[in-house]
Amino acid sequence: MSAEERVLTGSHFLLGDHACAEGGMAAGCDFFAGYPITPSTETAERLALRMPPVGAIFVQMEDELASMSALVGASLSGARAMSATSGPGFSLMMENIGMAAMMEAPCVIVNIQRGAPSTGLPTLVGQSDMMQAKWGSHGDYEIVAYAPSSPQECFDYVIKAFNTADRWRIPVFVMADELIGHMTERVVIPPADQIPRVERKRPRHKPGDESFLHCLAEDEDLVPPIVHAGEGYRVNFDSLTHDEKGYPATFAEPHDRLVRRLVDKIRLHVDQIIEYEEIFLDDAEIAIIAYGSTARSARRAVNDARKEGIRVGLLRLITVWPFPENKVRELSKQVKAFVVPELNLGQISREVERFTSLPVVGVNHAGGVMMAPDPILDTIKEVVKNA
Amino acid sequence: MPEIVVESHPIDTVFRTDRLPHIFCPGCGIGPATHAYAQAILESGIPKDQHACVSGIGCTARVPGYMDVDSYHTTHGRSIPFALAIALVKPEMEVTVFSGDGDLFGIGGNHFIHAARRNVDINIICINNFNYGMTGGQAGPTLPLGARATTAPYGNTEPPFNLPYLAAATGAVFVARWTALHVRQLKEAMLRAMQKKGFTFIEVLSPCPVGFGSPNDIGDAIEEVWLYRERCVVNHDAYLPDLEIDLRRKDVPFVMGNFLDIEKEPFDPLAMMKNKGE
């Protein structure tokens, strides 16, 4: 393997954390700022090795507050910027994830989740941060969160995360978990010219054009064109509520207008964003909803239950946020109950409950151990018995 | 009568005049310091398009928003890592952080020492008015011992930072301290900072008649400015540990000067790659 190459085309036996790093390399990540934290450190280590030879910038920052601030600065200077972290670091990043949302700075954060709260279980698996990914920073804003179920998906969805971030000008999260991050599997990396790339929308106005309002979304997608540092536009980016010119406007009316747009640019386009995998759902009477490492065990439980003649299917979430609420509503007309296994004490199950009046049965463990197929299978059988 | 009313001032070209009036209180020292910064931009020979001005949160942090350059009003304390990223991604840019003492040394202190240690190619201009002005005069990490603030109503019991000493000790290549009265010396120091590669630091002691003057029995801005003027001593060769500011001891001067001006390789994350063939 030549370290000089950005895209390691070929078939590899790769650690999930390393696959995240290779996804960043293939996506053209120009700037990484991060802080070592188990179990995501291998992503940073791989990028520390891989980025400098291709002229990309790797900086180990003093903490995750700085890392996230640097990501926004790098992004608004034109770089494709990413970081990798886990729960405690994710908490520290929340402040400037809000800034990324407010300044509409595209960036990618990989979160290899571990057991939580607080320092929790540094080396052991959890899916503890799923609600934090949606609601962690103060205020209303929208992000996109992917939950990869394999090292291959770590690679694929880091690339997609960059494209989604640039398309919608938002922070995008790759919410893996320790099992996926520390799992080694085959990862196929396509040729460089087959790596999908979405470019940022750029201003049609020339620098100096006084009619240009850099925070005005003129298009139907509600995404304004992005201006980078040093291009001569000399505009203001503000973490305060700002008007279309980018100037502070700390009043009710511009505030509602801005926050509504930041939210609507995603909420009105969820059909272009949401991805999931449907397994045996066509005739299912019971639907399992799972994501990340837990979805792998759920798949096994579904196969075992099917052998016993139980009509159960799996909705595997790939985008957890935005949540596929219409799919849950649609399934509600078909199935009798939902089963939601998670390595937390019920986070995404709450989201499922919002969109169905059917029973939603959680299979939960606070983390530290993988979700085995058996408790999921047992729950399926229990639900069948009570249905 | 000669015509004294003019349509514009040469320095207008560096300001976003459509944002005026500004938010600063009468008597505030941020204005003259901003003027010095604007003048330095004009005289720097670096095109406006290549200047970036970054701030955190607070009164001083509003300054970038008035400058006609790429400007970034970031979160409280986080301006330095933001500026670091701009400087690394766009090394041709002259990146200046213009923010306050509470923002840079209270909530943002960790970022300051690490950026200084790395010798990131950015300039830090710190308006030190000894208090959190935007929130109404609370104690901060620079409030002198014994001075009062709304959260130190009986007088401050914590020793303040000696900022030039801190900057020099942690790795800055240029360190200066002036007051908002020293507009010429300030501009010259800022120009020098813009010429230098690496991490530069300029502290600007600034009157804050509302947040700091009032609770400390300093009648108004003029009186606060007189206090600085009477006690200022210029000594470029001052021994930096002696630069603490103590309002209670009238025999201790406020020492001003350009204390440090040295050369060191600025931070370059790719330095090891470039040296490979040597």
Short mmCIF file of all heavy atoms in Angstrom, two decimals, chain A residues 21 121 168 237 314 335:
data_model
loop_
_atom_site.label_atom_id
_atom_site.label_comp_id
_atom_site.label_asym_id
_atom_site.label_seq_id
_atom_site.Cartn_x
_atom_site.Cartn_y
_atom_site.Cartn_z
N ALA A 21 -11.35 6.26 8.67
CA ALA A 21 -10.25 7.12 8.22
C ALA A 21 -10.09 7.04 6.71
O ALA A 21 -9.93 8.07 6.03
CB ALA A 21 -8.96 6.70 8.92
N LEU A 121 -17.82 3.51 30.09
CA LEU A 121 -17.05 2.34 29.69
C LEU A 121 -16.18 2.70 28.48
O LEU A 121 -16.59 2.51 27.35
CB LEU A 121 -17.99 1.20 29.30
CG LEU A 121 -18.94 0.68 30.37
CD1 LEU A 121 -19.94 -0.29 29.75
CD2 LEU A 121 -18.17 0.02 31.49
N TRP A 168 -25.98 20.08 2.12
CA TRP A 168 -26.97 20.80 2.94
C TRP A 168 -26.35 21.82 3.90
O TRP A 168 -27.05 22.47 4.65
CB TRP A 168 -27.84 19.80 3.73
CG TRP A 168 -28.55 18.86 2.81
CD1 TRP A 168 -28.24 17.57 2.55
CD2 TRP A 168 -29.70 19.16 1.98
NE1 TRP A 168 -29.11 17.03 1.62
CE2 TRP A 168 -30.01 17.99 1.26
CE3 TRP A 168 -30.48 20.31 1.79
CZ2 TRP A 168 -31.07 17.93 0.36
CZ3 TRP A 168 -31.53 20.24 0.89
CH2 TRP A 168 -31.82 19.07 0.18
N PHE A 237 -19.44 35.96 9.39
CA PHE A 237 -20.12 34.75 9.87
C PHE A 237 -20.36 34.93 11.35
O PHE A 237 -19.44 35.33 12.08
CB PHE A 237 -19.25 33.51 9.62
CG PHE A 237 -19.28 33.02 8.21
CD1 PHE A 237 -18.42 33.53 7.25
CD2 PHE A 237 -20.20 32.04 7.81
CE1 PHE A 237 -18.45 33.08 5.94
CE2 PHE A 237 -20.23 31.58 6.50
CZ PHE A 237 -19.35 32.10 5.56
N LEU A 314 -37.02 -6.93 9.48
CA LEU A 314 -36.11 -5.96 10.09
C LEU A 314 -36.07 -4.68 9.26
O LEU A 314 -35.84 -4.73 8.05
CB LEU A 314 -34.70 -6.56 10.18
CG LEU A 314 -33.55 -5.62 10.58
CD1 LEU A 314 -33.73 -5.06 11.98
CD2 LEU A 314 -32.21 -6.36 10.47
N VAL A 335 -47.95 -4.27 10.55
CA VAL A 335 -47.49 -5.17 11.60
C VAL A 335 -48.35 -5.03 12.86
O VAL A 335 -49.22 -4.15 12.94
CB VAL A 335 -46.01 -4.92 11.95
CG1 VAL A 335 -45.13 -5.09 10.71
CG2 VAL A 335 -45.81 -3.53 12.56
#
